[in-house]
Coordinates of all heavy atoms in Angstrom, one line a residue:
M1 N -20.9 46.0 85.7 CA -20.3 46.9 86.7 C -19.5 46.1 87.6 O -19.7 44.9 87.9 CB -21.5 47.5 87.5 CG -22.4 48.4 86.6 SD -21.6 49.9 86.0 CE -21.8 51.0 87.4
K2 N -18.5 46.8 88.2 CA -17.6 46.1 89.0 C -17.5 47.0 90.3 O -17.5 48.2 90.3 CB -16.2 46.2 88.3 CG -15.1 45.4 89.1 CD -13.8 45.3 88.3 CE -12.9 44.5 88.9 NZ -11.8 44.0 88.1
S3 N -17.3 46.2 91.4 CA -17.2 46.8 92.7 C -15.7 47.1 93.0 O -14.9 46.2 92.9 CB -17.8 46.0 93.8 OG -17.7 46.6 95.1
V4 N -15.4 48.4 93.4 CA -14.1 48.8 93.6 C -14.0 49.6 95.0 O -14.9 50.3 95.2 CB -13.5 49.7 92.5 CG1 -12.2 50.2 92.8 CG2 -13.6 49.0 91.2
K5 N -13.0 49.3 95.7 CA -12.9 50.1 97.0 C -11.7 51.1 96.8 O -10.6 50.7 96.3 CB -12.6 49.2 98.1 CG -13.8 48.4 98.6 CD -13.4 47.5 99.8 CE -14.7 46.7 100.2 NZ -14.4 45.9 101.3
V6 N -12.0 52.3 97.1 CA -10.9 53.3 97.0 C -10.7 53.9 98.5 O -11.7 53.9 99.3 CB -11.2 54.5 96.0 CG1 -11.3 53.8 94.6 CG2 -12.5 55.2 96.4
T7 N -9.6 54.5 98.7 CA -9.3 55.0 100.1 C -8.9 56.5 99.9 O -8.1 56.8 99.2 CB -8.1 54.2 100.7 OG1 -8.4 52.8 100.7 CG2 -7.8 54.7 102.1
I8 N -9.7 57.2 100.7 CA -9.5 58.7 100.8 C -9.4 59.1 102.3 O -10.3 58.7 103.0 CB -10.6 59.4 100.0 CG1 -10.6 59.1 98.6 CG2 -10.4 60.9 100.2 CD1 -11.7 59.6 97.8
L9 N -8.2 59.7 102.6 CA -8.0 60.1 104.0 C -8.2 58.9 104.9 O -8.8 59.0 106.0 CB -8.9 61.3 104.4 CG -8.5 62.7 103.8 CD1 -9.5 63.7 104.4 CD2 -7.0 63.0 104.3
G10 N -7.6 57.7 104.5 CA -7.7 56.6 105.4 C -9.1 55.8 105.5 O -9.2 54.8 106.2
K11 N -10.1 56.4 104.8 CA -11.4 55.7 104.8 C -11.7 55.0 103.5 O -11.4 55.7 102.4 CB -12.5 56.8 105.1 CG -12.3 57.4 106.4 CD -13.4 58.5 106.7 CE -13.1 59.1 108.0 NZ -13.0 60.5 108.0
Q12 N -12.2 53.8 103.6 CA -12.5 53.1 102.3 C -13.9 53.5 101.9 O -14.8 53.5 102.7 CB -12.4 51.6 102.5 CG -10.9 51.1 102.5 CD -10.9 49.7 102.2 OE1 -11.8 48.9 102.5 NE2 -9.8 49.2 101.8
F13 N -14.0 53.6 100.6 CA -15.3 53.9 99.9 C -15.5 52.8 98.8 O -14.7 52.8 97.9 CB -15.3 55.3 99.3 CG -15.2 56.4 100.3 CD1 -13.9 56.9 100.6 CD2 -16.3 56.9 101.0 CE1 -13.8 57.8 101.6 CE2 -16.2 57.9 101.9 CZ -14.9 58.4 102.2
P14 N -16.7 52.1 98.9 CA -17.0 51.2 97.8 C -17.7 52.0 96.7 O -18.5 52.8 96.9 CB -17.9 50.2 98.4 CG -18.6 50.9 99.6 CD -17.6 52.0 100.0
L15 N -17.2 51.7 95.5 CA -17.8 52.3 94.3 C -18.2 51.2 93.2 O -17.5 50.2 93.1 CB -16.8 53.3 93.5 CG -16.3 54.4 94.5 CD1 -15.1 55.1 93.7 CD2 -17.3 55.3 94.9
K16 N -19.2 51.5 92.5 CA -19.6 50.6 91.3 C -19.2 51.3 90.1 O -19.6 52.5 89.8 CB -21.1 50.3 91.3 CG -21.6 49.6 92.5 CD -21.6 48.1 92.2 CE -22.3 47.3 93.3 NZ -22.0 46.0 93.1
V17 N -18.3 50.7 89.3 CA -17.8 51.3 88.1 C -17.8 50.3 87.0 O -17.9 49.1 87.2 CB -16.4 51.9 88.2 CG1 -16.3 53.0 89.3 CG2 -15.4 50.8 88.6
K18 N -17.9 50.9 85.7 CA -17.7 49.9 84.6 C -16.3 49.3 84.6 O -15.4 50.0 85.1 CB -17.9 50.7 83.3 CG -19.3 51.3 83.1 CD -19.4 52.0 81.8 CE -20.8 52.7 81.7 NZ -20.9 53.5 80.5
D19 N -16.2 48.1 84.1 CA -14.9 47.4 84.0 C -13.9 48.4 83.4 O -12.7 48.4 83.9 CB -15.0 46.1 83.3 CG -15.8 45.1 84.1 OD1 -16.0 45.3 85.3 OD2 -16.1 44.1 83.6
S20 N -14.2 49.0 82.3 CA -13.3 49.8 81.6 C -12.9 51.1 82.3 O -11.9 51.8 82.0 CB -13.9 50.2 80.2 OG -15.1 51.0 80.4
E21 N -13.6 51.4 83.3 CA -13.3 52.7 84.2 C -12.6 52.4 85.5 O -12.3 53.4 86.2 CB -14.6 53.4 84.4 CG -15.3 53.9 83.1 CD -16.6 54.5 83.4 OE1 -17.2 54.4 84.5 OE2 -17.2 55.2 82.5
E22 N -12.3 51.2 85.8 CA -11.7 50.9 87.1 C -10.4 51.6 87.3 O -10.2 52.2 88.4 CB -11.5 49.4 87.2 CG -10.9 49.0 88.5 CD -10.7 47.5 88.7 OE1 -10.9 46.7 87.7 OE2 -10.2 47.0 89.7
E23 N -9.5 51.5 86.4 CA -8.2 52.1 86.6 C -8.3 53.7 86.6 O -7.6 54.3 87.5 CB -7.2 51.7 85.5 CG -6.8 50.3 85.7 CD -6.1 49.9 87.0 OE1 -5.3 50.7 87.6 OE2 -6.5 48.9 87.6
T24 N -9.2 54.2 85.8 CA -9.3 55.7 85.8 C -9.9 56.1 87.2 O -9.4 57.1 87.8 CB -10.3 56.1 84.8 OG1 -9.7 55.6 83.5 CG2 -10.6 57.6 84.7
M25 N -10.9 55.4 87.7 CA -11.5 55.8 89.0 C -10.4 55.7 90.1 O -10.3 56.5 91.0 CB -12.7 54.9 89.3 CG -13.4 55.3 90.6 SD -13.9 57.1 90.6 CE -15.0 57.1 89.2
K26 N -9.5 54.6 90.1 CA -8.5 54.5 91.1 C -7.5 55.7 91.0 O -7.1 56.2 92.1 CB -7.8 53.2 90.9 CG -8.6 52.0 91.4 CD -7.8 50.7 91.1 CE -8.6 49.4 91.7 NZ -7.8 48.2 91.4
R27 N -7.2 56.1 89.8 CA -6.3 57.2 89.6 C -6.9 58.5 90.2 O -6.3 59.3 90.8 CB -5.9 57.4 88.1 CG -4.9 56.4 87.7 CD -4.1 56.8 86.4 NE -5.0 57.4 85.4 CZ -5.7 56.7 84.5 NH1 -5.6 55.4 84.4 NH2 -6.4 57.3 83.6
I28 N -8.2 58.6 89.9 CA -9.0 59.8 90.4 C -9.0 59.9 91.9 O -8.7 60.9 92.5 CB -10.4 59.9 89.8 CG1 -10.3 60.2 88.3 CG2 -11.2 60.9 90.5 CD1 -11.6 60.0 87.6
A29 N -9.3 58.7 92.5 CA -9.3 58.6 93.9 C -8.0 58.9 94.5 O -7.9 59.6 95.6 CB -9.9 57.2 94.3
H30 N -6.9 58.4 93.9 CA -5.5 58.7 94.4 C -5.3 60.1 94.4 O -4.7 60.7 95.3 CB -4.6 57.8 93.6 CG -3.2 58.0 94.1 ND1 -2.7 57.5 95.2 CD2 -2.1 58.6 93.5 CE1 -1.4 57.7 95.4 NE2 -1.1 58.5 94.3
Y31 N -5.7 60.8 93.3 CA -5.4 62.2 93.1 C -6.2 63.0 94.2 O -5.6 63.9 94.9 CB -5.9 62.7 91.8 CG -5.7 64.1 91.5 CD1 -4.4 64.6 91.1 CD2 -6.7 65.1 91.7 CE1 -4.2 65.9 90.9 CE2 -6.4 66.4 91.5 CZ -5.3 66.9 91.1 OH -5.0 68.3 90.9
V32 N -7.4 62.6 94.5 CA -8.3 63.3 95.5 C -7.6 63.1 96.9 O -7.5 64.0 97.6 CB -9.7 62.8 95.4 CG1 -10.5 63.3 96.6 CG2 -10.4 63.3 94.1
D33 N -7.2 61.8 97.1 CA -6.6 61.5 98.4 C -5.4 62.4 98.6 O -5.1 62.9 99.6 CB -6.3 60.0 98.5 CG -5.7 59.6 99.8 OD1 -6.3 60.0 100.9 OD2 -4.6 59.0 99.8
D34 N -4.5 62.4 97.6 CA -3.3 63.3 97.6 C -3.6 64.7 97.9 O -3.0 65.4 98.8 CB -2.4 63.2 96.4 CG -1.7 61.8 96.2 OD1 -1.6 61.1 97.2 OD2 -1.2 61.6 95.1
K35 N -4.6 65.2 97.2 CA -5.0 66.6 97.4 C -5.5 66.9 98.9 O -5.1 67.8 99.5 CB -6.0 67.1 96.4 CG -6.4 68.5 96.4 CD -5.2 69.4 95.9 CE -5.0 69.4 94.4 NZ -4.0 70.4 94.0
F36 N -6.4 65.9 99.3 CA -6.9 66.1 100.7 C -5.8 66.0 101.7 O -5.7 66.8 102.7 CB -7.9 65.0 100.9 CG -9.3 65.3 100.3 CD1 -9.5 66.3 99.4 CD2 -10.3 64.4 100.6 CE1 -10.8 66.5 98.9 CE2 -11.6 64.6 100.1 CZ -11.8 65.7 99.2
R37 N -4.8 65.1 101.5 CA -3.7 65.0 102.4 C -2.8 66.2 102.4 O -2.4 66.7 103.4 CB -2.9 63.7 102.1 CG -3.6 62.4 102.5 CD -2.7 61.2 102.2 NE -3.5 60.0 102.3 CZ -3.8 59.5 103.5 NH1 -3.3 60.1 104.7 NH2 -4.5 58.4 103.8
Q38 N -2.6 66.8 101.3 CA -1.8 68.0 101.2 C -2.5 69.1 102.0 O -1.9 69.8 102.8 CB -1.7 68.5 99.7 CG -1.1 69.8 99.4 CD -1.1 70.3 98.0 OE1 -1.5 69.4 97.1 NE2 -0.9 71.5 97.8
Y39 N -3.9 69.3 101.8 CA -4.5 70.3 102.5 C -4.6 70.0 104.0 O -4.5 70.9 104.9 CB -5.9 70.5 102.0 CG -6.0 71.5 100.8 CD1 -5.4 71.2 99.6 CD2 -6.5 72.8 101.0 CE1 -5.4 72.1 98.6 CE2 -6.5 73.7 100.0 CZ -6.0 73.4 98.8 OH -6.0 74.3 97.7
K40 N -4.8 68.8 104.4 CA -4.8 68.3 105.8 C -3.5 68.7 106.5 O -3.5 69.1 107.6 CB -5.1 66.8 105.9 CG -5.4 66.4 107.3 CD -6.0 65.0 107.3 CE -6.2 64.5 108.7 NZ -7.4 65.2 109.4
K41 N -2.4 68.5 105.8 CA -1.0 68.8 106.3 C -0.9 70.3 106.5 O -0.4 70.8 107.5 CB 0.0 68.3 105.4 CG 1.4 68.4 105.8 CD 2.4 67.9 104.8 CE 3.8 68.2 105.3 NZ 4.8 67.6 104.3
E42 N -1.4 71.1 105.6 CA -1.3 72.6 105.6 C -2.3 73.1 106.7 O -2.1 74.2 107.3 CB -1.6 73.2 104.3 CG -0.5 72.9 103.3 CD -0.9 73.4 101.9 OE1 -1.9 74.1 101.8 OE2 -0.2 73.0 100.9
L43 N -3.4 72.5 106.9 CA -4.5 73.0 107.7 C -4.8 72.0 108.9 O -5.9 71.7 109.1 CB -5.8 73.2 106.9 CG -5.6 74.2 105.7 CD1 -6.9 74.0 104.8 CD2 -5.5 75.6 106.2
N44 N -3.7 71.5 109.5 CA -3.8 70.4 110.5 C -4.7 70.7 111.7 O -5.2 69.8 112.3 CB -2.4 70.0 111.0 CG -1.7 71.1 111.6 OD1 -2.1 72.2 111.7 ND2 -0.5 70.8 112.1
K45 N -5.1 71.9 112.0 CA -5.9 72.3 113.1 C -7.4 72.4 112.6 O -8.2 72.6 113.5 CB -5.4 73.6 113.7 CG -4.0 73.4 114.3 CD -3.8 74.7 115.2 CE -2.3 74.7 115.6 NZ -1.9 73.6 116.4
Q46 N -7.7 72.3 111.4 CA -9.0 72.4 110.9 C -9.7 71.0 110.8 O -9.0 70.0 110.6 CB -9.0 73.0 109.5 CG -8.5 74.4 109.4 CD -9.4 75.4 110.1 OE1 -10.6 75.3 110.0 NE2 -8.7 76.4 110.7
P47 N -11.0 71.0 111.0 CA -11.7 69.7 110.9 C -11.6 69.2 109.5 O -11.5 70.0 108.5 CB -13.2 70.1 111.3 CG -13.3 71.6 111.3 CD -11.9 72.2 111.3
D48 N -11.8 67.9 109.4 CA -11.7 67.2 108.1 C -12.7 67.8 107.1 O -12.4 67.9 105.9 CB -12.0 65.7 108.2 CG -10.8 65.0 108.7 OD1 -9.7 65.6 108.9 OD2 -10.9 63.8 109.0
T49 N -13.9 68.2 107.5 CA -14.9 68.7 106.6 C -14.4 70.0 105.9 O -14.6 70.2 104.7 CB -16.3 68.9 107.2 OG1 -16.1 69.8 108.4 CG2 -16.9 67.6 107.6
T50 N -13.7 70.8 106.7 CA -13.2 72.1 106.2 C -12.1 71.8 105.2 O -12.0 72.3 104.1 CB -12.6 73.0 107.3 OG1 -13.7 73.3 108.2 CG2 -12.1 74.2 106.8
V51 N -11.2 70.9 105.6 CA -10.1 70.5 104.8 C -10.6 69.9 103.4 O -10.1 70.3 102.4 CB -9.2 69.4 105.5 CG1 -8.1 68.8 104.5 CG2 -8.5 70.0 106.6
M52 N -11.6 69.0 103.5 CA -12.1 68.3 102.3 C -12.8 69.4 101.4 O -12.7 69.4 100.2 CB -13.0 67.3 102.7 CG -12.3 66.1 103.3 SD -13.2 64.5 103.6 CE -14.5 65.1 104.6
S53 N -13.5 70.3 102.1 CA -14.2 71.3 101.2 C -13.2 72.2 100.5 O -13.4 72.6 99.3 CB -15.1 72.2 102.2 OG -16.1 71.4 102.8
L54 N -12.2 72.7 101.2 CA -11.2 73.5 100.5 C -10.5 72.9 99.4 O -10.2 73.3 98.4 CB -10.2 74.1 101.6 CG -10.9 75.1 102.6 CD1 -9.9 75.5 103.7 CD2 -11.4 76.4 101.8
A55 N -10.1 71.6 99.7 CA -9.5 70.7 98.7 C -10.4 70.5 97.5 O -10.0 70.6 96.4 CB -9.0 69.5 99.3
A56 N -11.7 70.3 97.8 CA -12.6 70.0 96.7 C -12.7 71.4 95.8 O -12.8 71.3 94.6 CB -14.0 69.7 97.2
L57 N -12.7 72.5 96.5 CA -12.8 73.8 95.8 C -11.5 74.0 94.9 O -11.6 74.4 93.8 CB -12.9 74.9 96.7 CG -14.3 75.1 97.3 CD1 -14.2 76.2 98.4 CD2 -15.3 75.5 96.3
A58 N -10.4 73.6 95.4 CA -9.1 73.6 94.6 C -9.1 72.8 93.5 O -8.7 73.1 92.4 CB -7.9 73.3 95.5
I59 N -9.7 71.5 93.6 CA -9.8 70.5 92.5 C -10.8 71.1 91.5 O -10.5 71.1 90.3 CB -10.2 69.2 93.0 CG1 -9.2 68.6 93.9 CG2 -10.6 68.3 91.8 CD1 -9.6 67.3 94.6
A60 N -11.9 71.7 91.9 CA -12.8 72.3 91.0 C -12.3 73.4 90.2 O -12.4 73.6 89.0 CB -14.1 72.7 91.7
E61 N -11.4 74.3 91.0 CA -10.8 75.4 90.3 C -9.8 74.9 89.1 O -9.8 75.4 88.1 CB -10.0 76.2 91.3 CG -9.3 77.4 90.7 CD -8.4 78.2 91.7 OE1 -8.1 77.6 92.8 OE2 -8.2 79.3 91.5
E62 N -9.1 73.8 89.5 CA -8.2 73.2 88.4 C -9.0 72.7 87.3 O -8.7 73.0 86.1 CB -7.5 72.0 89.0 CG -6.4 72.3 90.0 CD -5.8 71.1 90.7 OE1 -6.0 70.0 90.2 OE2 -5.2 71.2 91.7
L63 N -10.1 72.1 87.5 CA -11.0 71.6 86.4 C -11.5 72.8 85.5 O -11.5 72.7 84.4 CB -12.2 70.8 87.0 CG -13.3 70.5 86.0 CD1 -12.8 69.5 85.0 CD2 -14.5 69.9 86.6
F64 N -12.0 73.9 86.2 CA -12.5 75.0 85.5 C -11.4 75.7 84.6 O -11.6 76.1 83.5 CB -13.1 76.0 86.4 CG -14.5 75.7 86.8 CD1 -14.8 74.6 87.4 CD2 -15.5 76.7 86.5 CE1 -16.1 74.3 87.8 CE2 -16.9 76.4 86.9 CZ -17.1 75.2 87.5
E65 N -10.1 75.8 85.2 CA -9.1 76.3 84.4 C -8.7 75.5 83.2 O -8.4 76.0 82.2 CB -7.8 76.5 85.4 CG -6.6 77.1 84.7 CD -6.9 78.5 84.2 OE1 -7.7 79.3 84.8 OE2 -6.4 78.9 83.2
E66 N -8.7 74.1 83.5 CA -8.4 73.2 82.3 C -9.5 73.4 81.2 O -9.2 73.4 80.0 CB -8.4 71.8 82.8 CG -7.1 71.5 83.5 CD -5.8 71.6 82.7 OE1 -5.8 71.3 81.5 OE2 -4.8 72.1 83.3
R67 N -10.8 73.5 81.6 CA -11.8 73.7 80.7 C -11.7 75.0 79.9 O -11.9 75.0 78.7 CB -13.2 73.7 81.4 CG -13.6 72.3 81.8 CD -15.0 72.3 82.5 NE -15.5 71.0 82.8 CZ -16.6 70.8 83.6 NH1 -17.3 71.9 84.0 NH2 -17.0 69.6 83.8
K68 N -11.3 76.0 80.6 CA -11.1 77.4 79.9 C -9.9 77.2 78.9 O -10.1 77.7 77.8 CB -10.7 78.4 81.0 CG -10.4 79.7 80.4 CD -10.0 80.7 81.6 CE -9.6 82.0 81.0 NZ -8.9 82.9 81.9
Q69 N -8.9 76.6 79.3 CA -7.7 76.4 78.4 C -8.1 75.6 77.2 O -7.7 75.9 76.0 CB -6.5 75.8 79.1 CG -5.9 76.7 80.0 CD -4.7 76.1 80.8 OE1 -4.3 75.0 80.6 NE2 -4.1 76.8 81.8
N70 N -8.9 74.6 77.4 CA -9.4 73.7 76.3 C -10.3 74.5 75.3 O -10.2 74.4 74.1 CB -10.2 72.5 76.9 CG -10.5 71.4 75.9 OD1 -9.7 71.3 75.0 ND2 -11.5 70.8 76.1
R71 N -11.2 75.3 75.9 CA -12.0 76.2 75.0 C -11.2 77.2 74.2 O -11.4 77.3 73.0 CB -13.0 77.0 75.9 CG -14.3 76.3 76.3 CD -15.3 77.2 76.8 NE -14.9 78.0 78.0 CZ -14.9 77.6 79.2 NH1 -15.4 76.5 79.6 NH2 -14.5 78.5 80.1
E72 N -10.2 77.7 74.9 CA -9.3 78.6 74.1 C -8.5 78.0 73.0 O -8.3 78.4 71.9 CB -8.3 79.3 75.1 CG -9.0 80.3 76.0 CD -8.1 80.8 77.2 OE1 -7.0 80.4 77.3 OE2 -8.6 81.7 77.9
L73 N -8.1 76.7 73.3 CA -7.3 75.9 72.3 C -8.3 75.6 71.2 O -7.8 75.7 70.0 CB -6.7 74.7 72.9 CG -5.5 74.9 73.7 CD1 -5.1 73.5 74.5 CD2 -4.3 75.4 72.9
N74 N -9.5 75.2 71.5 CA -10.5 74.9 70.4 C -10.8 76.1 69.5 O -10.9 76.0 68.3 CB -11.8 74.3 71.0 CG -11.6 72.9 71.5 OD1 -10.7 72.2 71.0 ND2 -12.4 72.5 72.4
Q75 N -10.8 77.3 70.2 CA -11.1 78.5 69.4 C -9.9 78.8 68.4 O -10.1 79.2 67.3 CB -11.3 79.7 70.3 CG -12.7 79.6 71.0 CD -12.9 80.6 72.1 OE1 -11.9 81.3 72.6 NE2 -14.1 80.7 72.7
Q76 N -8.6 78.6 69.1 CA -7.5 78.9 68.2 C -7.5 77.9 67.0 O -7.1 78.2 65.9 CB -6.2 78.7 69.1 CG -6.0 79.8 70.1 CD -4.9 79.6 70.9 OE1 -4.1 78.6 70.9 NE2 -4.6 80.5 71.9
E77 N -7.8 76.6 67.3 CA -7.8 75.6 66.3 C -8.9 76.0 65.2 O -8.5 75.8 64.0 CB -8.2 74.2 66.9 CG -8.3 73.1 65.8 CD -8.7 71.9 66.5 OE1 -8.7 71.7 67.7 OE2 -9.1 70.9 65.7
E78 N -10.1 76.5 65.6 CA -11.0 76.9 64.6 C -10.5 78.0 63.7 O -10.7 78.0 62.5 CB -12.3 77.3 65.3 CG -13.1 76.2 65.8 CD -14.3 76.6 66.7 OE1 -14.8 77.8 66.5 OE2 -14.8 75.8 67.5
K79 N -9.8 79.0 64.3 CA -9.3 80.1 63.5 C -8.2 79.6 62.5 O -8.2 80.0 61.4 CB -8.7 81.1 64.5 CG -9.7 81.9 65.2 CD -9.1 82.9 66.2 CE -10.1 83.6 67.0 NZ -9.4 84.6 68.0
V80 N -7.4 78.7 63.0 CA -6.4 78.1 62.0 C -7.0 77.4 60.9 O -6.6 77.5 59.8 CB -5.4 77.3 62.9 CG1 -4.5 76.4 61.9 CG2 -4.5 78.1 63.8
M81 N -8.0 76.5 61.3 CA -8.7 75.8 60.2 C -9.4 76.6 59.2 O -9.4 76.4 58.0 CB -9.7 74.8 60.8 CG -9.0 73.7 61.6 SD -7.8 72.8 60.6 CE -8.7 72.0 59.4
E82 N -10.0 77.8 59.7 CA -10.6 78.7 58.8 C -9.6 79.3 57.8 O -9.9 79.5 56.6 CB -11.3 79.8 59.6 CG -12.6 79.4 60.2 CD -13.2 80.4 61.2 OE1 -12.7 81.7 61.2 OE2 -14.1 80.2 61.9
K83 N -8.4 79.7 58.4 CA -7.4 80.2 57.5 C -6.9 79.2 56.5 O -6.7 79.4 55.3 CB -6.2 80.7 58.3 CG -6.5 82.0 59.1 CD -5.2 82.4 59.9 CE -5.5 83.6 60.7 NZ -4.3 84.1 61.5
V84 N -6.7 77.9 57.0 CA -6.3 76.8 56.0 C -7.3 76.6 54.9 O -7.0 76.6 53.8 CB -6.0 75.5 56.8 CG1 -5.9 74.4 55.9 CG2 -4.8 75.7 57.8
N85 N -8.6 76.5 55.4 CA -9.6 76.4 54.4 C -9.7 77.5 53.4 O -9.9 77.3 52.1 CB -11.0 76.2 55.1 CG -11.1 74.8 55.7 OD1 -10.5 73.9 55.4 ND2 -12.0 74.7 56.7
G86 N -9.6 78.7 53.9 CA -9.6 79.9 53.0 C -8.4 79.8 52.0 O -8.6 80.1 50.8
S87 N -7.3 79.5 52.4 CA -6.1 79.3 51.6 C -6.3 78.3 50.6 O -5.9 78.4 49.4 CB -4.9 79.1 52.4 OG -4.5 80.1 53.3
L88 N -6.8 77.1 51.0 CA -7.1 76.0 50.1 C -8.1 76.4 49.0 O -7.9 76.1 47.8 CB -7.6 74.8 50.8 CG -6.5 74.0 51.6 CD1 -7.2 72.9 52.4 CD2 -5.5 73.4 50.7
E89 N -9.2 77.1 49.4 CA -10.2 77.6 48.4 C -9.5 78.6 47.4 O -9.8 78.4 46.2 CB -11.3 78.3 49.1 CG -12.3 77.4 49.9 CD -13.3 78.0 50.7 OE1 -13.4 79.3 50.6 OE2 -14.0 77.3 51.5
E90 N -8.7 79.5 47.9 CA -8.0 80.4 47.0 C -7.1 79.6 46.0 O -7.0 79.9 44.8 CB -7.1 81.4 47.8 CG -7.9 82.4 48.5 CD -7.1 83.4 49.3 OE1 -5.8 83.4 49.2 OE2 -7.6 84.1 50.2
F91 N -6.4 78.6 46.5 CA -5.5 77.8 45.7 C -6.3 77.0 44.6 O -5.9 77.0 43.4 CB -4.7 76.8 46.6 CG -3.8 75.9 45.9 CD1 -2.7 76.4 45.2 CD2 -4.1 74.5 45.8 CE1 -1.9 75.5 44.5 CE2 -3.3 73.7 45.1 CZ -2.1 74.1 44.4
V92 N -7.4 76.4 45.1 CA -8.2 75.7 44.1 C -8.7 76.6 43.0 O -8.8 76.3 41.9 CB -9.4 74.9 44.9 CG1 -10.4 74.3 43.9 CG2 -8.8 73.8 45.7
D93 N -9.2 77.8 43.5 CA -9.7 78.8 42.5 C -8.6 79.2 41.5 O -8.9 79.3 40.3 CB -10.2 80.0 43.2 CG -11.5 79.8 43.9 OD1 -12.2 78.8 43.7 OD2 -11.9 80.7 44.7
E94 N -7.4 79.4 42.0 CA -6.3 79.7 41.1 C -6.0 78.6 40.0 O -5.7 78.9 38.9 CB -5.0 80.0 41.9 CG -5.1 81.3 42.6 CD -3.8 81.6 43.4 OE1 -2.7 81.0 43.2 OE2 -3.9 82.5 44.4
I95 N -6.0 77.3 40.5 CA -5.6 76.3 39.6 C -6.7 75.9 38.6 O -6.5 75.3 37.7 CB -5.0 75.1 40.3 CG1 -6.0 74.5 41.3 CG2 -3.8 75.4 41.0 CD1 -5.6 73.1 41.8
T96 N -7.9 76.2 39.0 CA -9.1 75.9 38.1 C -9.4 77.0 37.2 O -10.3 76.8 36.4 CB -10.3 75.4 39.0 OG1 -10.7 76.5 39.9 CG2 -10.0 74.2 39.7
S97 N -8.9 78.2 37.4 CA -9.3 79.3 36.5 C -8.4 79.3 35.3 O -7.4 78.9 35.1 CB -9.1 80.6 37.3 OG -9.9 80.7 38.5

């Protein structure tokens, strides 16, 4: 495990991550920081906890939407593979008969 410091809204947070995950965690922290800053700019009169909560909800919404799209793509892939397999079975039946 490696100790990494990330900065979000000007505050440093120490994290323990696997060596192989260091760059990924830094990119994630940078993304979260950007999102928080965007919301802080838009909601400058709101307390940080409100800004962070709303930004966290927005990030979670993005995640849920990506998961939904991923499920839909997987379902489409399964349908295509079923068609391909069916076609291959028909072809094999034709050439072996």
Side-chain angles (χ1 to χ4, degrees):
M1 296 293 276
K2 185 172 190 168
S3 183
V4 177
K5 289 183 182 179
V6 297
T7 304
I8 298 174
L9 285 181
K11 297 179 181 125
Q12 280 197 338
F13 296 91
L15 303 173
K16 294 270 186 192
V17 298
K18 293 179 184 176
D19 289 348
S20 61
E21 297 174 347
E22 179 181 3
E23 288 306 314
T24 300
M25 186 53 63
K26 286 180 179 179
R27 284 195 321 270
I28 291 169
H30 182 71
Y31 181 83
V32 169
D33 184 52
D34 284 347
K35 187 67 78 171
F36 282 7
R37 288 180 185 284
Q38 173 189 346
Y39 272 71
K40 189 169 179 70
K41 184 177 177 181
E42 293 172 10
L43 304 168
N44 59 356
K45 297 189 189 298
Q46 297 295 322
D48 282 351
T49 54
T50 300
V51 170
M52 292 186 304
S53 296
L54 293 173
L57 286 171
I59 292 169
E61 181 181 23
E62 290 174 15
L63 172 64
F64 276 59
E65 184 59 33
E66 288 296 324
R67 285 180 177 173
K68 178 183 172 191
Q69 289 177 4
N70 191 31
R71 277 192 307 272
E72 289 170 356
L73 286 173
N74 285 336
Q75 290 170 350
Q76 289 174 2
E77 179 183 344
E78 286 176 19
K79 288 178 184 176
V80 168
M81 290 307 295
E82 286 173 9
K83 286 181 182 179
V84 168
N85 286 337
S87 295
L88 285 172
E89 286 174 7
E90 288 176 13
F91 176 70
V92 169
D93 286 345
E94 285 178 20
I95 62 171
T96 57
S97 301

